[in-house]
Amino acid sequence: MHQFHLPEGKPDAQVLDGVITLIHTDLKGLIQRFNEFCDGDETFAPLKDTEFHVDVDQDDDSGDMMLMVMDPWGNQFCILPTDDEVEDRAEFLGSQPSLEGSLKSETLKLEDLTIYVSSNSNLDGIARFYEHLFGASSVEELKTDTSISIAMGDSQTLTFQYHPAGPKVKVQHEDLKFDSVDEYGFPSNFGPHISLYVSNLSHAYRMADDLNVLYVNPRFKRRAFTEEEAIDQCMFRILDIVDPWDKEKKIITSLEHEVRAARTKDGKKYKSCPLTSI
């Protein structure tokens, strides 16, 4: 899992209904900077009437710390300390290009992206969906009665969790506009989408086609209506998550995915793929 996008919201900023977990090099230093920032009334003033909020949790026995941050618009972040900076930064795997002379990020990695789902959602069905499309297995030791975590590589997870606010909350990650349907009948989606790389784009495309979950978002210029176009574009999209075992293929939840190829059709590494080698 490479990135996730929140389109600009008008009149309000778009908020992810879930939790973003990041690993940080120096949590104590980050907390100290935050406290110093809060001491300056003039500096903190722009945040006073926003959703911005910070909680510091510390385990009484181990002393381990965790930072829970609500950004000014309401996005939730869980920030954890690193156990091994070299391993978590994983520069040997690759990194995004940065400006010359810029300092390394203190945030080392996106460890988990938790997406809230309705409390009657078929979690095992979600796990089977990712296994079927991408060969991505669920992490058994992280499984609970209310959540399922899918391995996105060796050290990253995509988690689906029952909404903590309970069963009465309406959960909706898609924002479909049917007034801008394309010639193939696909509506534009203005909801968030996640982007991930796969090693075999053709196989993933066929598995998605098998489940009838292929999607084209008219908002974007790059559109793949066929497998050949997906190979040319090095990507395709899906929207609905269904259980491969369900004969009726009822939608469990909807979350747009941009599925990218790590290589172009001539075998070269795709230009935005952050991995050093593939």
Side-chain angles (χ1 to χ4, degrees), residues 96-278:
Q96 290 286 7
S98 57
L99 295 175
E100 185 177 349
S102 62
L103 298 175
K104 290 183 179 180
S105 171
E106 293 183 10
T107 301
L108 300 175
K109 68 174 181 178
L110 169 64
E111 182 169 75
D112 175 77
L113 180 63
T114 293
I115 303 295
Y116 291 149
V117 294
S118 300
S119 57
N120 62 346
S121 297
N122 179 1
L123 297 177
D124 288 334
I126 293 175
R128 287 190 286 267
F129 176 83
Y130 283 91
E131 181 73 45
H132 183 83
L133 257 70
F134 309 121
S137 302
S138 60
V139 184
E140 193 63 31
E141 56 267 31
L142 296 179
K143 184 179 180 181
T144 71
D145 291 338
T146 59
S147 68
I148 193 86
S149 294
I150 312 299
M152 296 280 110
D154 292 335
S155 61
Q156 189 183 65
T157 50
L158 175 62
T159 297
F160 292 86
Q161 177 186 322
Y162 291 164
H163 203 293
K168 294 184 179 180
V169 175
K170 181 182 179 181
V171 180
Q172 184 172 332
H173 301 289
E174 76 279 17
D175 182 11
L176 303 178
K177 305 296 185 184
F178 289 88
D179 57 350
S180 56
V181 173
D182 71 4
E183 64 270 25
Y184 287 83
F186 291 109
S188 293
N189 180 33
F190 288 83
H193 73 267
I194 64 173
S195 174
L196 54 91
Y197 283 95
V198 294
S199 57
N200 191 332
L201 190 75
S202 292
H203 177 77
Y205 185 95
R206 292 167 192 162
M207 294 300 99
D209 192 20
D210 176 58
L211 295 180
N212 197 30
V213 295
L214 292 168
Y215 170 67
V216 174
N217 194 335
R219 287 181 54 230
F220 300 100
K221 292 181 179 180
R222 293 169 64 205
R223 303 172 185 177
F225 294 98
T226 65
E227 181 180 344
E228 290 73 20
E229 290 177 345
I231 294 172
D232 284 339
Q233 297 284 341
C234 294
M235 56 75 65
F236 69 91
R237 295 177 185 271
I238 59 176
L239 179 64
D240 297 327
I241 296 175
V242 302
D243 184 354
W245 289 6
D246 179 9
K247 293 182 180 179
E248 298 181 6
K249 299 297 184 288
K250 293 180 181 178
I251 298 171
I252 302 173
T253 192
S254 295
L255 175 69
E256 185 176 343
H257 295 52
E258 180 186 1
V259 184
R260 296 182 176 183
R263 293 184 183 275
T264 61
K265 64 179 181 180
D266 60 2
K268 296 179 181 179
K269 188 176 77 166
Y270 185 65
K271 58 185 178 181
S272 65
C273 180
L275 299 175
T276 300
S277 60
I278 51 176

